Amino acid sequence: MSAVFDVISPRIRPRPKPRLLNGVIPFVVLLAGLAIAPLMLTPYSTVMLMPALAFGIALLGMNLLFGYTGLLSFGNAMFLAVGAYVAAAATQAGVLHFELILIAAASLGGLFALAIGALCVRFTHIFFGMLTLAFGMLLHSFLFKFYNLTGGDQGMRVLRPMLLGQDWDMTATQFLSGPFYYYCLIVYVLLGLLTWRIVSSPLGLQLRAIRDNESKARYLGVRVYRLRLFAFVVSGVFGAIAGAMLGVSTGLADPELAYWPQSGNLIFMMILGGAGTFVGPGVGALIFVLLHEVLVSSTAYWRFMLGATLVFLVLVLPEGLIGTISNHLQRRVRGDAQ
Amino acid sequence: MQYANLFLAGLFQAAILFLVACGLQLIFGVQKVVNLACGSFYALGAFFAITAVGLLHQWQMPMIFLVPALVLSGVLVGTVGAPLELLLRPVYRRDPSYQLLLTFGLLLMFQDVFRFFWGAAPRSMDSSLYGIYGTIDISGLQIPVYNFLVIGASILIAMILGLSLKRTRIGRIVRATAENRNMTEALGVNSSKVFTMVFTLGCILGTVGGALVIPTSAASMTMAAELVVEAFAVVVIGGLGSMAGAAVGAIIVGLMRAFAVSLAPEVEILSIYLVVVVVLLIRPVGLFGRSAS
Amino acid sequence: MSAMLSACNVSKSYGSYQALKNVSLEIGGGEFVSIVGPNGAGKTTLVNVLTGLAAPSQGTVHFMGNSIAGVGPVKLAAMGMARSFQLVNIFPEVSVWETIAVAVSSRLRRASNPLRTLTKDPQIEDEVQHIAGTLGLHHKLFERAGSLSQGEKKLLDIASAFALRPKAILLDEPTSGVSSGDKYGIMELLVKAARSEGVSAIIQVEHDMTLVARYSHRVIALQEGRVIGDMSPDVFFKDSLMLEAVIGPVHSSQKKNEGEHQPC
């Protein structure tokens, strides 16, 4: 009776993992690379690498939102700003424990995301993108215009925080390339593992089901609204944590962090590495930061080169670097097996 | 009477915004692409107009030709849309996020195109030109005639566009393609041509808008990204894909900005986005939008 | 036979168009009911009302004693009714195992804790294996759903619905788009699985009269929003007027009102 199906089956070999390079191992490799990088780089270059950690953390959340849940936000840079301004306000008010700053940033980012997400995740596709962009710009114009509170276009200074209750008596470069770099890396590791747990949980699976087919997911009992909101809140929390780190590493919280092209850059990094693969966005952040450094130091027209890279990626490698390599490997593995 | 002044200033901004938003709507309506680079075309029109007016000076043309020259320069430079449309072709049938990304890439590239040709500093033209057509006295207020010309030009363009979409053969083909691309292709319409045409027209609307704004404000590197935000507000308020929506949205945003700038400058953009958020919450498809099937 | 699913004097209008006119029916446990009718007869509207997707304009709908008027899909699943659609409806980038696990995990409320394990959860593993086995998908567990054949996709769609352990299942042309050779295989598996999984009522919308004749216990015929017949297949297929009302127009003038009912 089911003979029809039995005849088909032997042709396709079962694969235990649906996609190669999509596990947690490549991510661990990336982190290991970031851990040994300072040993081989000058302190100055290590500081240059700092944004890759921060963006990597923000992208863990954005990837959960887009790569896994299918919602492309054009406003996530606002959470970077939330984190950076929290760091600025806290350090200026004398709260120097970075642990407290991170907790405050994460809480505020989460609250922002909860309030904004409650409205936004009712929409998908372009409307979600536009609405998040609108909220991002609301924050930007608030930061920009309320000079007395936020310093306007000057931004607010972020003072050097204490790490683990310790004051570090060293130059800024030493601090940022040493203790601060490794502190952020450890936070990245922890949040990476947390995200990995989420994506490999039943909830993570349901997020992917929503991405693939929202209506079907509903009929299987998946609480679409609640889960989308969850993903958005995670992206907000991670974004704010990343923002606090960026604020410390540049010593400044400025409104440009919330400006919508900054969200565009985050998406750029995510697609560059490959959205939906676990390690992709982290790799994308690293490559973006390196590319940015190289281009800025070699040409005045680095924006043009970045834009051209993005156009090239969308047209030629839509699955991003990791997605493309993964597909290529997969074809070879299958080719060898036959 | 301060309000009459603000009202007219708002209408002037609305006229410019309408042109850009119209281009955005046209491209979205037919190609289903949200063009993030619309702000870049606006900026391109502005920068190019500076050069065009410079030429006008150089050739010692009478400055009475300012408005025609600006429109003409906008139309000319807007034709770069045609080759750029080729880049978009591979992504028409892909996820909208890729279309957004592609046009975001164009936006980044345009920034440096401006920097290359016109330098990083804001460029403005001889400010006396703003008054070249004289002023009209409205109960004690001196309003430059230029403002009225731009508002009139915008209304004229809206009417021509609306009529040609409704009445002409090519307009009907464009609307049919917007409705159902596959069907019109089956009927023998070359939709690639339609797409190139529509995209170019959309870009021209943006560049003309940028060109016309130049006598009143400087062309700068930041104007592209800023305009995207306003144009988005317009189309979200009005409804994606609707021309009437673009007009109403432009008037709302234009007036709100004008009033906010002088009465409560802190909440200028804030107020626009509050309207956006409220509209989206009450009527997600916008005031004139059709609900997605 | 107590009614599991009942509609009482249900009318549904969209604007001035009345899609359902005073429909009443009761479906009990153990029944396999086919809803038939020409295009535009209101079959899809009826199914939408019966599954709580659309609230009736008038009348009531009850499932296991509770009103389900407009409850929406998530509650429907929790109440014990599953629905599958005419068009293939799967998660293309997700594997067979994972597709079924979506349903199992939602039924077991596993999504409330984002840190819970998925692959090492014995209950999920057991149930997924079990359902996959029942519907003949056990050797495809790690295939991407998008790479399956049309017939397998249908089976996966049905398997995920069964994984909710529903009391009743509503199927919109379960075998449309499948080659005629595979149709019976799918239907056999479906009926067998329903029996072993405790799905007691099966309601299907079906155009294929051979399938209606072969599997259903009861036929409900709709025309222009009214129930024109509610009878056993034996009676139905002998009633030439009824048959003409249902099948006749299908071949002559089929159009409008319900675009989703294009014949495949």
Side-chain angles (χ1 to χ4, degrees):
Chain A
M1 161 204 68
S2 67
V4 190
F5 306 104
D6 288 332
V7 177
I8 308 168
S9 58
R11 270 193 279 141
I12 311 163
R13 296 170 57 87
R15 278 169 281 133
K17 278 266 164 63
R19 283 176 80 120
L20 292 167
L21 279 189
N22 200 6
V24 74
I25 309 286
F27 183 67
V28 174
V29 173
L30 171 71
L31 292 175
L34 287 171
I36 55 172
L39 307 178
M40 295 177 293
L41 295 172
T42 62
Y44 179 75
S45 312
T46 307
V47 175
M48 295 274 118
L49 216 54
M50 261 301 303
L53 301 184
F55 289 139
I57 290 172
L59 288 174
L60 285 172
M62 271 184 86
N63 193 29
L64 193 71
L65 187 64
F66 175 64
Y68 288 85
T69 319
L71 291 174
L72 187 64
S73 160
F74 258 86
N76 263 42
M78 74 178 126
F79 301 119
L80 296 180
V82 168
Y85 277 87
V86 165
T91 53
Q92 288 189 11
V95 179
L96 290 175
H97 289 280
F98 197 54
E99 297 75 35
L100 289 180
I101 292 171
L102 286 182
I103 290 168
S107 317
L108 197 64
L111 279 177
F112 260 68
L114 191 65
I116 293 166
L119 303 175
C120 293
V121 301
R122 289 203 262 152
F123 305 94
T124 55
H125 300 298
I126 286 167
F127 281 104
F128 178 78
M130 286 188 154
L131 203 52
T132 46
L133 188 146
F135 276 108
M137 290 309 296
L138 262 177
L139 182 68
H140 174 259
S141 83
F142 171 79
L143 296 173
F144 202 76
K145 299 274 177 159
F146 286 76
Y147 192 88
N148 293 335
L149 224 63
T150 63
D153 59 341
Q154 301 291 306
M156 285 169 84
R157 284 199 57 205
V158 181
L159 309 178
R160 187 192 293 183
M162 297 196 291
L163 305 177
L164 301 169
Q166 249 187 302
D167 235 338
W168 302 81
D169 184 25
M170 43 175 68
T171 67
T173 307
Q174 281 174 333
F175 172 72
L176 292 175
S177 65
F180 191 68
Y181 181 91
Y182 281 102
Y183 190 97
C184 292
L185 186 65
I186 287 166
V187 175
Y188 192 9
V189 170
L190 295 176
L191 293 179
L193 293 179
L194 180 70
T195 315
W196 177 248
R197 283 296 295 267
I198 294 174
V199 303
S200 37
S201 75
L203 183 148
L205 173 61
Q206 293 191 0
L207 292 179
R208 285 190 289 145
I210 294 171
R211 175 197 66 195
D212 276 13
N213 188 339
E214 176 188 344
S215 133
K216 170 79 175 167
R218 284 186 205 277
Y219 274 97
L220 294 185
V222 173
R223 288 168 161 75
V224 173
Y225 177 80
R226 206 181 289 183
L227 293 192
R228 277 188 177 143
L229 186 56
F230 172 81
F232 193 68
V233 169
V234 171
S235 80
V237 170
F238 285 20
I241 290 174
M245 292 175 180
L246 281 176
V248 171
S249 70
T250 56
L252 187 71
D254 77 317
E256 288 303 297
L257 279 173
Y259 204 35
W260 74 265
Q262 183 69 40
S263 296
N265 284 340
L266 285 170
I267 298 171
F268 184 170
M269 298 173 212
M270 182 163 67
I271 302 288
L272 174 66
T277 64
F278 189 72
V279 71
V283 173
L286 180 61
I287 294 177
F288 180 90
V289 167
L290 295 176
L291 190 68
H292 186 266
E293 283 308 319
V294 170
L295 289 177
V296 167
S297 62
S298 58
T299 163
Y301 301 106
W302 55 272
R303 283 186 197 81
F304 187 88
M305 303 306 290
L306 269 185
T309 312
L310 184 56
V311 169
F312 173 83
L313 276 170
V314 170
L315 293 179
V316 183
L317 301 178
E319 302 214 42
L321 294 171
I322 296 299
T324 307
I325 296 169
S326 154
N327 283 349
H328 183 72
L329 283 178
Q330 203 160 294
R331 264 196 300 279
R332 281 192 52 182
V333 168
R334 245 190 292 175
D336 291 348
Q338 275 166 9
Chain B
M1 270 306 104
Q2 182 202 8
Y3 293 121
N5 194 10
L6 290 179
F7 185 74
L8 281 168
L11 280 190
F12 176 75
Q13 288 190 359
I16 302 280
L17 268 178
F18 169 74
L19 291 176
V20 184
C22 223
L24 197 62
Q25 299 285 46
L26 201 60
I27 294 171
F28 180 79
V30 177
Q31 271 132 311
K32 315 293 176 236
V33 171
V34 173
N35 183 14
L36 279 177
C38 66
S40 302
F41 288 103
Y42 171 75
L44 180 65
F47 278 111
F48 193 74
I50 300 269
T51 305
V53 171
L55 285 176
L56 219 56
H57 271 296
Q58 215 175 326
W59 296 334
Q60 296 180 337
M61 305 276 277
M63 278 304 145
I64 203 76
F65 289 125
L66 178 66
V67 169
L70 289 177
V71 172
L72 187 68
S73 79
V75 171
L76 274 180
V77 74
T79 52
V80 299
L84 287 177
E85 192 266 341
L86 294 178
L87 279 178
L88 280 170
R89 284 192 187 176
V91 297
Y92 284 141
R93 291 181 193 262
R94 278 212 241 138
D95 191 89
S97 40
Y98 289 110
Q99 302 162 359
L100 284 172
L101 271 172
L102 193 80
T103 53
F104 178 66
L106 290 180
L107 182 103
L108 288 176
M109 291 168 74
F110 264 115
Q111 291 292 310
D112 275 344
V113 171
F114 303 147
R115 196 182 300 263
F116 182 77
F117 286 107
W118 291 281
R123 296 280 300 266
S124 56
M125 57 185 239
D126 183 359
S127 59
S128 67
L129 284 176
Y130 187 28
I132 193 82
Y133 296 105
T135 57
I136 291 180
D137 186 306
I138 297 181
S139 40
L141 281 167
Q142 302 295 316
I143 310 288
V145 173
Y146 181 81
N147 285 17
F148 292 102
L149 287 175
V150 168
I151 295 170
S154 184
I155 294 173
L156 191 69
I157 290 171
M159 277 164 55
I160 293 172
L161 204 64
L163 280 179
S164 48
L165 275 176
K166 271 222 171 72
R167 297 285 158 78
T168 64
R169 191 177 163 289
I170 191 81
R172 278 193 282 269
I173 291 176
V174 167
R175 282 188 298 140
T177 311
E179 212 57 52
N180 189 334
R181 177 183 173 180
N182 293 336
M183 189 64 91
T184 43
E185 274 180 354
L187 293 174
V189 171
N190 182 347
S191 67
S192 298
K193 257 190 192 159
V194 175
F195 279 16
T196 309
M197 199 191 74
V198 166
F199 189 79
T200 313
L201 184 58
C203 296
I204 287 176
L205 284 168
T207 48
V208 169
L212 287 175
V213 86
I214 248 352
T216 67
S217 58
S220 70
M221 300 303 285
T222 54
M223 67 192 295
E226 276 165 14
L227 186 94
V228 170
V229 175
E230 284 176 32
F232 266 33
V234 169
V235 300
V236 171
I237 291 172
L240 259 179
S242 152
M243 291 295 167
V248 173
I251 291 172
I252 293 176
V253 173
L255 289 179
M256 284 204 59
R257 265 205 71 177
F259 278 89
V261 162
S262 89
L263 302 180
E266 292 84 13
V267 296
E268 177 195 344
I269 307 279
L270 227 59
S271 61
I272 293 171
Y273 269 99
L274 282 178
V275 176
V276 168
V277 169
V278 169
V279 166
L280 273 177
L281 293 179
I282 296 170
R283 201 177 144 72
V285 291
L287 298 178
F288 287 79
R290 286 185 301 177
S291 56
S293 52
Chain C
M1 183 174 71
S2 68
M4 178 178 257
L5 178 63
S6 66
C8 191
N9 300 324
V10 164
S11 296
K12 175 76 189 171
S13 25
Y14 297 100
S16 61
Y17 174 68
Q18 217 181 348
L20 289 179
K21 296 163 190 162
N22 209 23
V23 169
S24 291
L25 52 87
E26 287 195 342
I27 292 165
E31 284 198 282
F32 190 132
V33 181
S34 291
I35 297 174
V36 298
N39 288 303
K43 299 187 299 290
T44 301
T45 309
L46 179 61
V47 172
N48 283 347
V49 169
L50 288 180
T51 53
L53 185 64
S57 313
Q58 272 159 26
T60 55
V61 220
H62 284 87
F63 176 64
M64 317 249 299
N66 300 311
S67 171
I68 54 165
V71 292
V74 174
K75 260 203 168 153
L76 186 80
M79 292 170 88
M81 199 195 302
R83 175 176 183 182
S84 95
F85 285 85
Q86 179 183 14
L87 298 172
V88 164
N89 205 6
I90 49 157
F91 310 116
E93 297 296 329
V94 158
S95 75
V96 169
W97 189 95
E98 288 169 327
T99 306
I100 302 172
V102 170
V104 174
S105 65
S106 92
R107 184 173 63 77
L108 297 175
R109 305 240 167 189
R110 291 289 202 265
S112 51
N113 176 359
L115 299 180
R116 198 188 270 275
T117 172
L118 171 69
T119 47
K120 294 191 186 74
D121 186 326
Q123 201 176 354
I124 291 179
E125 181 68 39
D126 284 354
E127 291 201 21
V128 171
Q129 294 282 355
H130 172 73
I131 294 285
T134 313
L135 284 153
L137 290 165
H138 46 283
H139 49 282
K140 298 273 172 161
L141 278 176
F142 300 106
E143 297 288 330
R144 223 169 50 90
S147 70
L148 298 176
S149 75
Q150 195 70 6
E152 289 165 337
K153 284 177 185 165
K154 277 278 172 192
L155 280 176
L156 179 58
D157 193 0
I158 294 165
S160 59
F162 276 2
L164 292 171
R165 295 229 180 124
K167 289 276 158 263
I169 186 162
L170 239 146
L171 306 153
D172 203 343
E173 294 196 52
T175 60
S176 75
V178 177
S179 74
S180 50
D182 288 357
K183 275 188 176 178
Y184 296 101
I186 291 177
M187 288 305 289
E188 294 290 343
L189 277 171
L190 173 74
V191 172
K192 195 186 74 169
R195 213 172 294 144
S196 69
E197 298 308 307
V199 178
S200 82
I202 302 177
I203 302 137
Q204 66 163 359
V205 171
E206 189 54 77
H207 277 133
D208 186 329
M209 288 304 144
T210 23
L211 292 178
V212 172
R214 190 154 165 180
Y215 295 102
S216 43
H217 307 141
R218 187 174 151 197
V219 179
I220 293 174
L222 288 182
Q223 190 186 30
E224 288 172 6
R226 287 180 215 284
V227 175
I228 55 164
D230 186 344
M231 55 192 74
S232 76
D234 301 343
V235 183
F236 175 77
F237 285 103
K238 281 180 193 135
D239 188 334
S240 59
L241 275 176
M242 188 68 71
L243 272 178
E244 196 190 324
V246 171
I247 310 170
V250 173
H251 298 294
S252 56
S253 66
Q254 43 180 231
K255 57 169 191 180
K256 71 179 205 189
N257 297 339
E258 295 195 338
E260 59 267 60
H261 265 172
Q262 277 140 12
C264 294

